[in-house]
Amino acid sequence: MTTVDIPSQGTEDLWPDEAPFAEVPTLEGPSKPRVDVTNEAESFEALLRVMSGPDVPALYVRSGGLNWISADDKGEPKIHRLNSDNLLSWFAEHVETYAMKPQGRGETRTWVESRQYPSGRTCSAILARERWRLPRLVGVATSPVLRPDGTLCQVPGFDQSTGLYLFPRLRTVPTVGPDPSEEQVRKARELLLRMTTDFPWVQQSDRAQYFALTLAPILRPYIKCPTPMGLITATTMGSGKSYLTYLFTELYGMGTLTWPRDASDELRKAITTKLTTTGAPVITFDNVDNGGTLKSPVLADLLTKDYWEDRLLGSNTHVGAPNDRLWLATLPCLPAC
């Protein structure tokens, strides 16, 4: 690929006569690992070594399969499980694969390199492995989180000690030192309280419970068991109920689900999709409609199990993921107590 620096408009001609296009220097991109795929058995082992090496974007093992982490159109983290076509595309982008092919006959026969992709059979065989020399991905965090040893994970990227990939939503927040001062703690508390100063809480205990929910995504990796579901409601329309959920979206990012009235299978599949593909640490059943009831054996499973297992939609593949999210529901306006 040829990259050309184009001058800013108004400073000089785009293509001055003294610098013809043919003389613009070519800037080479970074070199890719090279793998000879002429022999399928040998290429299988060579490709596995490249996949776990430092010269390619990281792949992770999760739910028994290979995954990469990307961002969706909104900039939210997404965990993408690879199939054979995805893996072939990954090799095509990040690895230079070739085969040695003969030219000529007899004594004049020579062997030359020819661009060739790994076969679909090779990609399928790689994905069928049960053991990998790759990091195991527990999940994605969108804010600094507390490790089980009490330290704070706040460096973006994969954290080896927890298996979490930190994909911070707020990238301008300064790091927290190991021993914050009393003044820093006081300012942080004031900022937290200021965000909800004008909200008409029914009781002070309601505000305390809400702040417990807002801190839950930071503490969640530290808690190795299911946590209660949070319910957000109001006594009157227009009191700011949506604002309370908006804060979760701004701080952490949020996945939303629609509560189905009767279809338990639909609910289970929706939960499985969110747990296995999205990185949002907060998932909300948004605006459960009047007449809807938050009662389901699927919901009971969700709120009492620390590990979720199900079958992928449209396939016989079973997947599992830690049930490490904060679950919320926003309800219609309720009468004041």
Side-chain angles (χ1 to χ4, degrees):
M1 179 180 70
T2 301
T3 302
V4 179
D5 290 325
I6 300 177
S8 301
Q9 289 186 350
T11 58
E12 55 185 292
D13 294 337
L14 291 180
W15 304 114
D17 295 337
E18 61 271 22
F21 178 79
E23 297 179 8
V24 175
T26 299
L27 302 179
E28 298 293 338
S31 59
K32 301 177 182 179
R34 304 182 78 245
V35 175
D36 184 350
V37 297
T38 307
N39 183 294
E40 191 170 30
E42 293 178 359
S43 69
F44 180 85
E45 296 296 333
L47 290 170
L48 285 175
R49 287 193 295 270
V50 167
M51 290 168 63
S52 59
D55 300 323
V56 295
L59 295 174
Y60 303 94
V61 179
R62 190 171 191 260
S63 302
L66 285 184
N67 298 262
W68 68 41
I69 296 174
S70 61
D72 62 17
D73 293 340
K74 297 180 180 179
E76 304 291 351
K78 182 177 179 62
I79 303 171
H80 191 90
R81 186 182 178 94
L82 276 68
N83 57 29
S84 294
D85 291 339
N86 297 142
L87 184 57
L88 179 58
S89 176
W90 187 87
F91 282 135
E93 183 174 358
H94 303 296
V95 182
E96 185 179 338
T97 54
Y98 64 93
M100 301 302 296
K101 295 187 177 182
Q103 282 192 349
R105 296 182 179 181
E107 295 181 355
T108 62
R109 190 179 194 185
T110 58
W111 294 83
V112 297
E113 289 186 10
S114 177
R115 175 70 164 163
Q116 182 166 311
Y117 298 124
S119 67
R121 183 170 62 178
T122 297
C123 292
S124 296
I126 289 175
L127 292 176
R129 287 176 62 89
E130 294 184 357
R131 295 184 179 181
W132 303 90
R133 294 190 296 270
L134 292 168
R136 187 168 298 277
L137 179 68
V138 173
V140 175
T142 58
S143 69
V145 292
L146 200 63
R147 299 187 182 99
D149 64 1
T151 59
L152 193 63
C153 172
Q154 52 186 332
V155 177
F158 184 73
D159 185 60
Q160 191 70 40
S161 64
T162 61
L164 294 172
Y165 190 100
L166 181 55
F167 193 109
R169 182 174 179 82
L170 302 178
R171 299 178 181 273
T172 58
V173 176
T175 57
V176 179
D179 188 20
S181 66
E182 290 186 9
E183 177 67 12
Q184 289 175 314
V185 174
R186 183 186 64 79
K187 288 183 177 180
R189 178 180 180 275
E190 289 178 354
L191 176 62
L192 189 63
L193 295 175
R194 195 183 311 137
M195 290 190 299
T196 59
T197 298
D198 297 327
F199 190 80
W201 304 103
V202 175
Q203 303 179 70
Q204 286 303 306
S205 60
D206 294 325
R207 183 173 73 162
Q209 292 178 50
Y210 176 75
F211 283 130
L213 289 175
T214 59
L215 295 175
I218 298 174
L219 301 173
R220 193 66 184 86
Y222 187 79
I223 304 170
K224 299 299 183 181
C225 64
T227 55
M229 185 178 192
L231 303 180
I232 298 178
T233 188
T235 57
T236 59
M237 297 289 290
S239 59
K241 181 181 63 175
S242 297
Y243 174 72
L244 296 184
T245 56
Y246 166 79
L247 287 180
F248 284 101
T249 302
E250 289 300 300
L251 291 173
Y252 305 110
M254 180 186 294
T256 57
L257 292 174
T258 301
W259 180 260
R261 292 196 174 189
D262 302 311
S264 293
D265 287 343
E266 180 184 345
L267 176 60
R268 179 174 290 277
K269 297 304 178 187
I271 291 171
T272 300
T273 299
K274 289 295 182 183
L275 283 176
T276 57
T277 65
T278 65
V282 183
I283 302 178
T284 301
F285 294 103
D286 192 29
N287 283 322
V288 178
D289 59 343
N290 287 314
T293 303
L294 280 173
K295 181 179 180 181
S296 164
V298 176
L299 182 62
D301 268 353
L302 178 67
L303 299 182
T304 56
K305 290 183 177 179
D306 57 3
Y307 196 83
W308 182 265
E309 293 181 282
D310 192 22
R311 181 171 56 84
L312 283 178
L313 184 64
S315 74
N316 293 321
T317 303
H318 279 75
V319 295
N323 182 13
D324 56 359
R325 314 301 171 91
L326 170 64
W327 296 93
L328 299 176
T330 57
L331 305 180
C333 293
L334 301 178
C337 298

